[in-house]
Amino acid sequence: MRDVECVAFLQWALPRLGLRWPGYRKVRAQVCKRVHRHLAMLGLDGIVAYRRYLEDHPGEWRELDRLCPITISRFYRDKDVFDFIAAALLPQLAREASARGHDRLAVWSAGCASGEEPCGVALAWHCQAGAVSPPLALRVLATDIEPAVLERARAGCYAASCLKLLPPVWLTLAFEKRDGRYCVRPQYQAGIEFRQEDIRQAAPAETFDLILCRNLVFTYFDEAGQRSALVRLLQRLHPGGALVIGRRERLPPGEVALEPWPGAERLGIYRYRAASRVER
Ligand SMILES: C[S@@+](CC[C@H](N)C(=O)[O-])C[C@H]1O[C@@H](n2cnc3c(N)ncnc32)[C@H](O)[C@@H]1O
């Protein structure tokens, strides 16, 4: 399938799935490759035939939806964001959780890919923030729609290229080399639970001090999808808690329940205004 055909197809199909073409523009190759393989599996000879097939088989839209997740990630993605999380955000959230009488700091990474983001938060806690914070346990729930990435996340072994941005001392402390890959030492993965969940349909039952939802909802979902996912995220966030979105993402216009986190105005970090609790 030629790139130009794939682009035209995605521009037609993505909005019908509640997804945004501009989010996919730069990373479309991953989806085009999957669509190409899928057409071969269906025995269809091109994108025109597939459009017809979609029109004749409404259930096929679910299959196409499964081909669309972009799973690119890396440790310490957006270094200045993670520097802030480690040096300021986690210690402050831990003080506030402790003042509320909680014995643990609860974090949700929504769209966790192969574990780079939730594991990065655990490293930030164990290697830096935990030392200057009240002595809380760290619980990280990491959810993703894609079973294959969750399997890799549970295995916890990564190529060196994925770890390049990590502070070198954390790399030495928290990883051991196995068969040419870097594997997270068990004590740094202990508080992390990986779970398959589609953020469009479900959310965890518990409430969190910190939610990261980066490079997913606010890049790939259309505005209606962003708004309904945001309601779901805020229902799980403590008033005063933090929501981290991608460095280059924007909240839907008119969002008033969140305010930029002081000192992190350009980092996509927001505080959930205490008076704005979204009821379940
Ligand atoms: C581009 S990655 C971002 C990973 C990480 N948050 C980061 O910023 O590096 C997006 C992740 O969201 C997952 N995803 C896509 N649609 C989802 C959905 N509806 N519910 C939950 N996860 C989803 C993908 O499988 C992928 O692993």
Side-chain angles (χ1 to χ4, degrees):
M1 184 180 19
R2 287 182 306 137
D3 181 57
V4 62
E5 286 173 319
C6 185
V7 168
F9 173 70
L10 292 179
Q11 286 175 336
W12 171 79
L14 291 171
R16 289 165 169 77
L17 292 167
L19 299 169
R20 292 174 65 239
W21 157 250
Y24 283 86
R25 187 189 305 275
K26 287 194 186 144
V27 290
R28 61 182 178 265
Q30 196 177 22
V31 181
C32 291
K33 217 184 285 171
R34 288 190 202 126
V35 171
H36 182 70
R37 276 201 304 263
H38 188 64
L39 294 198
M41 199 196 75
L42 291 174
L44 297 173
D45 66 2
I47 216 71
V48 175
Y50 189 44
R51 270 183 72 152
R52 250 195 326 267
Y53 189 84
L54 278 162
E55 277 155 2
D56 294 344
H57 301 83
E60 175 62 19
W61 285 98
R62 269 196 309 279
E63 297 305 316
L64 178 59
D65 186 68
R66 283 198 199 117
L67 306 179
C68 292
I70 299 292
T71 55
I72 300 160
S73 189
R74 59 192 164 278
F75 274 83
Y76 228 71
R77 182 178 196 171
D78 297 323
K79 184 180 175 325
D80 44 359
V81 175
F82 261 91
D83 282 344
F84 188 86
I85 289 173
L89 189 62
L90 289 175
Q92 183 169 347
L93 291 173
R95 283 192 297 275
E96 290 171 8
S98 177
R100 275 199 297 271
H102 293 183
D103 59 2
R104 66 179 197 174
L105 188 67
V107 179
W108 175 21
S109 165
C112 66
S114 304
E116 299 86 344
E117 179 179 279
C119 195
V121 173
L123 296 185
W125 176 257
H126 293 298
C127 300
Q128 185 172 340
V132 295
S133 304
L136 302 179
L138 178 73
R139 140 109 172 129
V140 183
L141 177 65
T143 60
D144 202 282
I145 195 171
E146 190 57 55
V149 295
L150 289 168
E151 207 172 298
R152 283 202 289 276
R154 290 188 188 103
C157 294
Y158 301 91
S161 58
C162 180
L163 300 158
K164 274 194 301 217
L165 298 174
L166 265 186
V169 58
W170 296 12
L171 187 64
T172 316
L173 271 175
F175 291 82
E176 58 198 4
K177 224 167 162 192
R178 252 185 265 147
D179 301 329
R181 291 168 73 75
Y182 290 83
C183 301
V184 189
R185 295 183 204 277
Q187 65 267 37
Y188 292 91
Q189 231 197 3
I192 310 178
E193 180 194 347
F194 293 101
R195 187 189 297 170
Q196 187 185 3
E197 210 160 72
D198 181 342
I199 199 171
R200 294 169 298 184
Q201 288 167 10
E206 61 255 58
T207 308
F208 298 90
D209 303 291
L210 166 63
I211 298 178
L212 301 104
C213 185
R214 303 162 70 221
N215 308 302
L216 163 58
V217 167
F218 306 104
T219 294
Y220 301 110
F221 290 9
D222 66 13
E223 193 174 319
Q226 292 184 16
R227 288 190 188 281
S228 67
L230 188 56
V231 168
R232 196 162 274 137
L233 292 167
L234 294 183
Q235 283 170 339
R236 270 60 186 183
L237 192 58
H238 282 301
L243 173 69
V244 184
I245 67 171
R247 180 83 157 79
R248 279 160 289 278
E249 292 179 320
R250 295 285 166 271
L251 293 170
E255 178 52 56
V256 292
L258 294 159
E259 59 189 351
W261 194 276
E265 288 80 2
R266 292 167 170 274
L267 299 179
I269 304 180
Y270 294 87
R271 182 191 276 283
Y272 185 21
R273 292 179 202 269
S276 304
R277 187 92 178 93
V278 174
E279 294 311 323
R280 296 182 187 199

